[in-house]
């Protein structure tokens, strides 16, 4: 029964992980979360089908001890986003790149049959093409995205019969989750609107791809149910400018928009038709994300927790 797969998630207590883990449990999967828990452990509720291991991705012995018995590894753990990475580049490299091949090899040795890697759409760098598809060359601009691209190469090298691999290149994730991140475009701007009644936009003309966190978790479920899907897939369905995002938030909050100069030229449009061709359909939009964050703020379930800001928390 393919629904009874045992899933091993690294970084399962992070922004995406903390949304994905309960969702997998609700669908009957057995889940092991392997996470350093630097943002706190209380984000995951206890469940008889959930095993939580507080561990470092660089701890090969601990991984080798806990990987056997799992069918699929979903690798989310990393020092997330450029500013957090740049706080300590050598630590970032250790976690985001050096630890990767040992994890893949340990997974293979443990009998894991499928490895799903969360890369990033930032691996493309700045593209002038109207549609950024999976076959375009990778031109990462930062160490964070460079190591993401290098891990993709490692995974391709380690692929063997009986050990299938899938690389997901998600757009910027948005939307409410138990372990929110407030350093991501839509989430930051919405937070500023509800807290300060002011939305500061740097530049604003840059176009960026976005994906709702519930769509990301749906994609993982979809992939688990369709083990024949392998390869590399973009995941982002709304390419909109930062100013457009601000305008949508203003409509819902009446906050004032202030535009200032930006030194961040990154602008690209992600094309996810390859993923859509598999039969997957997204359900949510940036507008949903804005709405949900505002609602959670108004009903008191959302608080501006310091751990929601990766950079300052690290």
């Amino acid at each position: 029964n393919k629904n009874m797969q045992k899933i091993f998630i690294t970084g399962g207590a992070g922004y995406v992980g903390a949304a994905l883990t309960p969702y997998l449990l609700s669908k009957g999967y057995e889940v092991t979360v392997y996470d350093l828990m630097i943002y706190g452990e209380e984000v995951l509720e206890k469940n008889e089908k959930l095993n939580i291991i507080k561990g470092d991705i660089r701890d090969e012995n601990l991984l080798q001890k806990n990987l056997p018995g799992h069918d699929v590894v979903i690798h989310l753990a990393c020092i997330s986003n450029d500013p957090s990475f740049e706080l300590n580049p050598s630590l970032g490299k250790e976690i985001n790149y050096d630890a990767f091949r040992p994890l893949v090899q340990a997974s293979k040795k443990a009998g894991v049959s499928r490895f799903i890697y969360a890369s990033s759409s930032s691996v493309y760098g700045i593209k002038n093409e109207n549609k950024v598809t999976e076959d375009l060359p990778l031109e990462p601009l930062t160490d964070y995205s460079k190591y993401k691209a290098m891990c993709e190469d490692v995974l391709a090298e380690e692929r063997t019969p009986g050990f299938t691999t899938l690389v997901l290149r998600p757009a910027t994730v948005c939307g409410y989750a138990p372990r929110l991140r407030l350093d991501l475009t839509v989430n930051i701007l919405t937070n500023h609107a509800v807290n300060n009644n002011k939305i500061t936009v740097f530049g604003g003309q840059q176009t960026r791809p976005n994906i709702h966190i519930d769509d990301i978790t749906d994609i993982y479920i979809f992939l688990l149910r369709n083990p024949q899907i392998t390869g590399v897939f973009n995941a982002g369905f709304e390419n909109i400018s930062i100013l457009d995002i601000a305008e949508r938030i203003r409509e819902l909050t009446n906050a004032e928009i202030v535009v200032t100069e930006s030194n961040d030229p990154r602008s690209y449009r992600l094309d996810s038709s390859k993923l859509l061709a598999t039969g997957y359909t997204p359900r949510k939009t940036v507008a949903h994300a804005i709405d949900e964050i505002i609602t959670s703020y108004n009903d008191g379930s959302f608080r501006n927790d310091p751990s929601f800001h990766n950079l300052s928390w690290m």
Side-chain angles (χ1 to χ4, degrees):
N1 178 348
K2 61 184 177 189
N3 277 346
M4 296 327 292
Q5 294 160 302
K6 292 189 73 172
I7 318 297
F8 188 94
I9 307 181
T10 70
Y15 177 41
V16 171
L20 178 58
T21 299
Y23 194 25
L24 287 170
L25 293 165
S26 77
K27 299 284 183 199
Y29 292 94
E30 287 185 47
V31 181
T32 297
V33 165
Y34 186 97
D35 196 299
L36 258 184
M37 301 289 173
I38 47 177
Y39 299 107
E41 296 180 45
E42 65 292 336
V43 66
L44 294 172
E45 288 180 18
K46 289 193 172 33
N47 185 302
E48 57 187 29
K49 292 196 159 181
L50 173 63
N51 177 26
I52 297 177
I53 297 157
K54 185 173 179 174
D56 191 313
I57 201 76
R58 296 166 294 179
D59 187 342
E60 290 178 44
N61 291 337
L62 191 61
L63 282 167
Q64 285 163 7
K65 201 174 99 189
N66 286 288
L67 277 163
H70 294 89
D71 305 300
V72 183
V73 169
I74 299 177
H75 181 43
L76 304 175
C78 67
I79 302 287
S80 217
N81 81 5
D82 297 323
S84 300
F85 189 99
E86 283 152 19
L87 275 184
N88 187 336
S90 61
L91 175 73
K93 177 176 182 283
E94 282 176 23
I95 289 176
N96 291 15
Y97 180 67
D98 298 342
F100 185 72
R101 194 183 297 266
L103 168 67
V104 175
Q105 290 177 337
S107 303
K108 229 178 352 184
K109 202 170 144 207
V112 168
S113 59
R114 194 171 188 213
F115 194 103
I116 300 176
Y117 176 48
S119 183
S120 162
S121 59
S122 67
V123 293
Y124 294 111
I126 299 173
K127 294 286 188 216
N128 298 318
E129 285 84 351
N130 199 26
K131 291 186 169 175
V132 174
T133 53
E134 291 84 353
D135 46 12
L136 288 183
L138 304 189
E139 302 173 291
L141 295 171
T142 62
D143 279 351
Y144 168 75
S145 38
K146 182 180 84 179
Y147 292 128
K148 285 284 188 190
M150 286 163 69
C151 286
E152 291 190 19
D153 292 340
V154 168
L155 193 56
E157 289 164 17
E158 294 288 345
R159 193 172 57 231
T160 48
F163 183 73
T164 61
T165 62
L166 187 136
V167 170
L168 204 58
R169 293 177 182 159
T172 303
V173 184
C174 60
Y176 182 75
R179 211 305 271 179
L180 201 56
R181 268 182 63 192
L182 293 176
D183 49 7
L184 299 165
T185 315
V186 172
N187 299 2
I188 300 173
L189 298 179
T190 309
N191 180 40
H192 288 176
V194 292
N195 273 307
N196 313 328
N197 215 24
K198 191 164 99 175
I199 310 167
T200 305
V201 174
F202 296 97
Q205 297 313 313
Q206 313 97 309
T207 296
R208 298 278 178 79
N210 300 272
I211 186 167
H212 193 291
I213 190 162
D214 293 352
D215 284 334
I216 279 277
T217 56
D218 277 350
I219 289 170
Y220 286 115
I221 299 270
F222 179 81
L223 294 174
L224 291 174
R225 289 182 172 168
N226 292 278
Q228 76 285 2
I229 299 175
T230 59
V232 178
F233 293 87
N234 288 341
F237 305 102
E238 277 178 286
N239 295 296
I240 44 184
S241 78
I242 294 172
L243 200 53
D244 281 346
I245 293 171
E247 293 287 357
R248 290 179 196 195
I249 297 167
R250 177 168 68 183
E251 284 165 21
L252 290 165
T253 60
N254 299 322
E256 170 198 5
I257 297 177
V258 181
V259 179
T260 60
E261 291 292 301
S262 167
N263 58 358
D264 185 352
R266 289 179 305 162
S267 182
Y268 53 94
R269 306 176 69 82
L270 206 59
D271 182 278
S272 298
S273 17
K274 183 179 171 187
L275 181 59
L276 295 171
T278 64
Y280 168 78
T281 316
R283 293 181 300 141
K284 296 258 185 112
T285 61
V286 166
H288 286 117
I290 295 166
D291 212 26
E292 289 157 10
I293 292 173
I294 294 169
T295 303
S296 68
Y297 182 83
N298 290 336
D299 72 15
S301 57
F302 158 60
R303 49 189 209 301
N304 196 350
D305 191 289
S307 76
F308 294 169
H309 299 264
N310 280 16
L311 184 63
S312 53
W313 186 253
M314 303 279 284

